[in-house]
Amino acid sequence: MPIQLFDTLSRTYKTLTPADGETFRFYCCGPTVYGAAHIGNFRTFVLQDILRRSLEAEGWATRHTRNITDVDDKTIRESQEERKSLREFTEFWRERFHRDCAALNLLPPHVEPSAVAHVDRQIELIQKLIENGHAYVENGSVYFSIQSFPEYGRLSHLAERELTTDREGAQHQAHDQDEYERETAADFALWKARKPEDGPNYWESPWGEGRPGWHIECSAMSMQYLGATLDLHSGGIDLIFPHHENEIAQSEAVTGKAFASHWFHVAHLLVEDNKMSKSLGNLLTLDEIMEKGHTGQEIRYVLLEGHYRHPLNFTWGALKAARKALQRMARFDEALRRVAKVSDPDLGCPDSKRLHGVSHSFEKAWSALENDLNTPEALGQIFVALKRVQREIDNGSLGSERANHEWLGWRRMIYALGIRLEQPEAPKPPEEIVKLADARWEAKKKRDFATADQLRETIRSRGWQVKDRPDHYELAPSEE
RNA sequence: GGCGAGGUAGCCAAGUGGUAAGGCACGGCUCUGCAAAAGCUGCAUACGUCGGUUCGAAUCCGACCCUCGCCUCCA
C-alpha cells in the first residue's frame, strides 16, 4: 500500500505519488536565520524529514528543497544592531542551524536556496504579476491585488471567516492613504521600497531600490528548482495563512497552474503545556536541551511520539523516557544483528523493492507510517514486534535466515523514522573514583561484602554509581 | 466574534462503531551476596460533563465545561 497523507487544501487523504512517476519533488519553508531555531521549528523539520525518508523507503527518489530566509525585517534589524553585514550575520545563524539539523539526524535537503541569492528571480516574477494585472506599484512598493485572484483564501478557508483588517497593525504602512475595503483581507507586499532603517540592504529593481517581500521568495525558488507544480509543499500550521495562501496566489497568477498537488502542515509544539513564547521564557533551543545532558536523538524521539496533526506536549519526563526507549532499541538492534549475522550494520535504506516478498514482524509498524505518517502508532507497533522477535532470539528459535528478514523489516523502520542507535559515550569517571571502585571489586572478589558495600556507599556519596557486570563493573554518574 | 485543534492511566501518547496499542514510571518473577543490568510479567470496567442514536460508542449526534492555535511576524 502506498503512503496516504492528509492534504490541507482538499481536507482529504491523498496518495503520495510523484507526478513524473520517478522523483517526488517537494518544498519546505525553511528557517529565517536571525537566531537559533527552537524545538518547535524542529518538530516541523523532523516531520518533513520523516516524510522524505518514508518516500525513499517506499522506493521513490526524492528532491527535497528547503530554503533559507536570509533577508526580511528581522534579519535586517538584528544584523544592524550587531553592526554586522547581513551576510555575515545570516551566515552565522545558518551554520548554527545546520549543526542543529545534524544533531537531529535530519537528511540535508538536495537544494537549499537562499533568498538573497535569488532576488533577480523574484523581481522577474513580480514583473510578470504587474504585467498581467495582478500587482500594482505604489510609492515604490509593489502589492499583490487579492481581488484579482478570486481563488484567494481557499487553503485557509477565508470565505468562512470574517476577516477584517481594521485592527491595529493589520494594515500595510504604505496603505495609510488607501481606500481599501476594510472587510477584506489585505493586499500583501511583493516588493518593499527602500527605507532608511534598511541600511545597506537594498537591491535595484524596475520600481526603484528596495527588497523583496517575504512571500515571493518561496514562490520564486520552489518553481525554479521544482517546476510550476510541486508534488508537495509543507510548513508549520501557522504558515497556512497568510504565507502559503499568498504563495498560491502569486504563483498561480503567473503560471495558471496549480502550485502544489499536496499541502502538508505540522501542528504546534507545546512545552510543559504552554505555548512557547519569549515572554514565558520557554523558547527551547537544541543547545539548551543538550546542555542538560540530552542527545539530539532523544529530542527527535520525543518529537515522534505524537501525531503530526495534533499539538504535542514536550516535557522533560518524555525526554527521560525517550532515553530508555532508545536504549532498548539499541540492545535489540545488537542482538538481532548478531543472530542475523550482519556484517555491515549500515544498510542505508532497505526499500520496498528489497522487502518484496520478505516476511517479517514489522509490517504493522510500516503500515502505521503509510497511514498519514502515524509515528506514535508506528513506535507502538515497533515495540510489539520487537518484543516478539526478542523472545525468539532469547529462546534460540530464530534461525539466521528469518533473522535476516526481521533485520530488513526492522532497519527499514529505523531508516524511515531516522533513528540513530549508537549510544552516546559514557562520561569518564575521575581517577579517584576508579581507584575506589577497583578496591571495592577486590573486596567483593574476596567476599568481603561489608567493605565492598562501604566503598560503594563512598562512591555514591561522590556522585557515582557502581553497577556490577558478570566479570567487571561499570561506573555511571548518579541519577539525581 | 470567526476558523481550527485538543481533553484517554502517575507522565507522554495511539486508537473514528465491536468492547482500551506502545513507551516511561511503578509492583512481581528469573538471575544475583546485596544492589544494578538484562529478560519475563502485572498495571485504565475506563476514555472532560450531561443527554441521545445503536444489539453495541472513547469512537456517531446534541448541549455544556475546560485548554490551546490561527485571524498581525511566527514552524
Side-chain angles (χ1 to χ4, degrees), chain A residues 90-154:
Chain A
T90 57
E91 196 51 49
F92 176 85
W93 289 111
R94 180 207 305 255
E95 267 174 40
R96 167 66 179 280
F97 176 67
H98 284 155
R99 236 181 35 231
D100 288 349
C101 287
L104 286 171
N105 203 24
L106 294 173
L107 296 168
H110 301 101
V111 191
E112 193 177 49
S114 108
V116 164
H118 294 76
V119 172
D120 290 352
R121 205 67 195 202
Q122 299 174 62
I123 290 175
E124 249 172 66
L125 214 51
I126 297 169
Q127 191 77 51
K128 283 183 191 158
L129 286 167
I130 294 174
E131 282 163 15
N132 66 19
H134 286 287
Y136 56 92
V137 184
E138 189 175 279
N139 299 332
S141 291
V142 184
Y143 296 90
F144 185 92
S145 161
I146 62 171
Q147 282 170 345
S148 77
F149 191 75
E151 294 277 85
Y152 191 80
R154 243 176 12 116

Side-chain angles (χ1 to χ4, degrees), chain A residues 183-204:
Chain A
E183 296 306 311
T184 63
D187 290 351
F188 57 91
L190 296 166
W191 185 263
K192 297 187 174 186
R194 180 182 175 190
K195 283 179 289 188
E197 56 265 39
D198 292 341
N201 303 301
Y202 62 88
W203 286 261
E204 297 288 343

Side-chain angles (χ1 to χ4, degrees), chain A residues 42 46 96-106 286-287 290 294-301 418 420:
Chain A
F42 281 115
V46 164
R96 167 66 179 280
F97 176 67
H98 284 155
R99 236 181 35 231
D100 288 349
C101 287
L104 286 171
N105 203 24
L106 294 173
L286 237 52
D287 272 9
M290 297 207 280
H294 297 99
T295 66
Q297 280 315 284
E298 288 157 12
I299 297 166
R300 182 176 177 115
Y301 189 95
R420 220 192 269 144

Side-chain angles (χ1 to χ4, degrees), chain A residues 24-30 48 51 63-69 111 113 115 215-223 225-226 230-235 243-244 247 259-260 262-264:
Chain A
F24 194 86
R25 295 163 297 117
F26 69 109
Y27 184 89
C28 304
C29 287
Q48 290 162 345
L51 172 73
R63 184 164 170 84
H64 176 193
T65 302
R66 185 183 62 211
N67 69 295
I68 295 278
T69 297
V111 191
H215 311 294
I216 195 73
E217 65 173 83
C218 288
S219 289
M221 298 190 285
S222 60
M223 292 198 288
Y225 293 103
L226 302 174
L230 330 174
D231 286 325
L232 179 143
H233 191 124
S234 120
H243 185 55
H244 288 164
E247 280 189 56
F259 178 49
H262 201 116
W263 288 90
F264 173 56

Side-chain angles (χ1 to χ4, degrees), chain A residues 328-341 389-390 393-394 398 403 407 410:
Chain A
R328 192 157 168 212
M329 285 182 165
R331 284 195 301 270
F332 172 77
D333 184 72
E334 236 179 87
L336 181 57
R337 188 190 311 168
R338 214 174 300 125
V339 182
K341 298 190 169 64
V389 177
Q390 178 77 248
I393 293 174
D394 290 348
L398 190 70
W407 172 257
W410 158 251

Side-chain angles (χ1 to χ4, degrees), chain A residues 332 336 355 357-368 377-393 398 401-413:
Chain A
F332 172 77
L336 181 57
L355 273 136
V358 171
S359 152
H360 63 268
S361 304
F362 295 89
E363 207 53 65
K364 275 190 180 167
W366 175 247
S367 301
E377 170 76 13
L379 287 172
Q381 292 300 339
I382 281 178
F383 278 100
V384 171
L386 181 153
K387 214 180 246 188
R388 188 159 69 218
V389 177
Q390 178 77 248
R391 194 174 297 132
E392 290 194 63
I393 293 174
L398 190 70
E401 190 188 353
R402 272 195 45 234
N404 217 279
H405 292 174
E406 297 290 7
W407 172 257
L408 289 173
W410 158 251
R411 287 311 290 203
R412 174 167 65 170
M413 289 312 298

Side-chain angles (χ1 to χ4, degrees), chain A residues 12 61 72 82 149 156 202 265-266 288 402:
Chain A
T12 58
D72 80 319
E82 291 188 17
F149 191 75
S156 55
Y202 62 88
H265 290 104
V266 179
E288 283 172 84
R402 272 195 45 234

Side-chain angles (χ1 to χ4, degrees), chain A residues 42-50 104 106 300 303-304:
Chain A
F42 281 115
R43 179 186 191 189
T44 300
F45 298 134
V46 164
L47 261 300
Q48 290 162 345
D49 186 59
I50 286 169
L104 286 171
L106 294 173
R300 182 176 177 115
L303 296 177
L304 300 187

